[in-house]
Amino acid sequence: GVALLYYSLQESSAHQATLGKRALGIKVTDLEGRRISWKHAVGRWFAAALSYLTLYVGFLMAAFTERRQALHDMVADTLVTDRWAFTDHPERQSTQTSGCLIAMLVGAFLVVPVIAILAATALIGSDV
């Protein structure tokens, strides 16, 4: 419940981003660049389960899709953009590699394998 409220309230706020997204200089919008409603943010949060259930492949899809959408963004019709995108100052957008992409790659290639190893160890240990 707390995570749902945190993400949905932050992403539907005037900042359009959680504290982590703000630190990375990114925000969540609808497909036209507008702020999403609280209900839309709740739907996006539930859709994120698909990206987790695919063992993070849903998140990695953002690196390969035309609009840099993860699986849950496609389902929810949302975009994660530079904080200056769709504003009166689009020239301020960063041209550097997104910190979000770097975080996804670290998560996919470091965190997921560690969790898999721990899970396998727990399963093997329970058979003894």
Side-chain angles (χ1 to χ4, degrees), residues 2 5 28-29 33 37 48 52 54 79 83-84 93 111-112 123:
V2 173
L5 283 175
V28 178
T29 71
S37 69
Y52 288 108
T54 58
L79 299 171
R83 73 181 199 171
W84 294 106
Q93 291 184 70
V111 176
V112 173
L123 289 173

Side-chain angles (χ1 to χ4, degrees), residues 37-98:
S37 69
W38 178 74
K39 288 181 182 179
H40 198 159
V42 168
R44 182 178 186 272
W45 187 84
F46 279 108
L50 297 171
S51 292
Y52 288 108
L53 289 173
T54 58
L55 301 178
Y56 292 78
V57 171
F59 291 105
L60 286 175
M61 287 173 59
F64 304 101
T65 59
E66 183 180 341
R67 297 188 81 180
R68 301 290 185 222
Q69 288 176 288
L71 177 60
H72 60 282
D73 289 311
M74 291 177 172
V75 169
D77 289 333
T78 56
L79 299 171
V80 176
T81 66
D82 185 275
R83 73 181 199 171
W84 294 106
F86 304 107
T87 68
D88 292 336
H89 301 286
E91 73 279 359
R92 295 181 182 173
Q93 291 184 70
S94 174
T95 57
Q96 298 175 0
T97 301
S98 169

Side-chain angles (χ1 to χ4, degrees), residues 119-128:
T121 304
L123 289 173
I124 292 170
S126 67
D127 290 338
V128 176

Side-chain angles (χ1 to χ4, degrees), residues 7-23:
Y7 283 93
S8 61
L9 290 172
Q10 292 287 307
E11 292 178 352
S12 63
S13 73
H15 294 288
Q16 298 175 256
T18 59
L19 295 174
K21 285 182 180 73
R22 284 190 238 174

